[in-house]
């Protein structure tokens, strides 16, 4: 009960302080981080790096999967005319290929996710630095990102942050 009351008091204090802050000339901005993640040159470079590094493995895994599906279809189609030993041998070979494929796919996903997360952390740091630079250069007191229901174009700094990121493509 005390936590609820304390939370209510904090929200009420913030509600009363916000108009006072507005009257005092607080400069507020908004940045659409999702748009920046989609459009920033560094994000494009990260996607290109992932494609370059993992594209070959992905194609190889796709070919491996297609071969397994073809082998599985052939086995289903021909199993009625195969001897029991030949059928058992073909099923074992198919299982072995599927197990190998699943291991390769798991390894690929782990490697891909690790590299993507590494690149994402660097990108998020650069975006944060660009937001701070734009905010300081523009004299903003507060810059909001996610969770904003509405922000007019007057306070939207997304294009300025994208321009800042474009200046430093590396």
């Amino acid at each position: 009960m005390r936590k609820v009351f304390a939370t209510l008091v904090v929200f009420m204090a913030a509600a009363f302080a916000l108009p006072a802050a507005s009257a005092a000339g607080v400069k507020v901005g908004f940045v659409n981080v999702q748009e920046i993640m989609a459009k920033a040159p560094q994000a494009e470079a990260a996607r290109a790096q992932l494609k370059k590094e993992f594209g070959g493995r992905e194609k190889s895994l796709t070919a491996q999967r297609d071969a397994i599906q073809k082998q599985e279809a052939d086995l289903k189609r021909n199993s009625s005319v195969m001897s029991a030993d030949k059928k058992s041998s073909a099923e074992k070979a198919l299982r072995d290929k599927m197990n190998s494929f699943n291991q390769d796919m798991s390894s690929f996903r782990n490697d891909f996710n690790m590299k993507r997360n590494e690149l994402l952390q660097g990108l998020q740091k650069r975006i944060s630095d660009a937001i701070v630079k734009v905010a300081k250069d523009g004299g903003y007191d507060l810059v909001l990102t996610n969770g904003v229901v509405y922000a007019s174009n007057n306070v939207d700094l997304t294009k300025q942050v994208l321009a800042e990121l474009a200046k430093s493509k590396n």
Side-chain angles (χ1 to χ4, degrees):
M1 184 71 174
R2 284 186 178 184
K3 284 185 179 181
V4 172
F5 181 71
T7 304
L8 184 60
V9 169
V10 169
F11 281 127
M12 290 183 67
F16 288 117
L18 196 56
S22 302
V26 174
K27 193 170 179 184
V28 177
F30 167 74
V31 177
N32 184 339
V33 176
Q34 287 81 10
E35 182 178 345
I36 291 172
M37 293 290 281
K39 294 181 179 178
Q42 292 85 351
E44 279 297 321
R47 283 189 286 275
Q49 184 177 348
L50 284 172
K51 187 174 183 176
K52 179 181 177 186
E53 192 170 326
F54 292 97
R57 279 177 69 185
E58 185 177 24
K59 285 180 184 177
S60 174
L61 284 167
T62 300
Q64 193 177 352
R65 181 201 64 210
D66 293 346
I68 288 171
Q69 288 174 341
K70 183 182 181 311
Q71 186 177 354
E72 188 176 27
D74 289 346
L75 179 62
K76 283 181 183 178
R77 186 176 48 251
N78 298 327
S79 67
S80 61
V81 295
M82 297 172 100
S83 68
D85 287 342
K86 192 169 182 179
K87 181 179 176 183
S88 177
S89 175
E91 287 172 343
K92 183 184 181 324
L94 181 61
R95 272 193 312 275
D96 290 346
K97 280 186 178 182
M98 289 174 86
N99 287 338
S100 176
F101 171 76
N102 288 335
Q103 288 174 351
D104 291 347
M105 183 60 100
S106 178
S107 174
F108 171 79
R109 284 183 183 140
N110 287 337
D111 293 347
F112 181 85
N113 286 335
M114 283 177 41
K115 185 63 174 184
R116 185 189 68 209
N117 289 341
E118 175 187 318
L119 293 172
L120 187 61
Q121 285 176 346
L123 179 59
Q124 288 172 334
K125 170 82 171 100
R126 294 188 75 168
I127 289 171
S128 178
D129 291 347
I131 291 170
V132 169
K133 182 172 181 350
V134 167
K136 285 182 178 179
D137 291 351
Y140 286 86
D141 298 306
L142 175 67
V143 176
L144 304 170
T145 59
N146 301 337
V148 174
V149 176
Y150 172 77
S152 75
N153 290 334
N154 296 335
V155 297
D156 193 348
L157 305 175
T158 304
K159 290 180 183 172
Q160 292 170 318
V161 173
L162 282 169
E164 181 64 34
L165 287 167
K167 287 181 192 176
S168 61
K169 288 184 182 178
N170 332 21

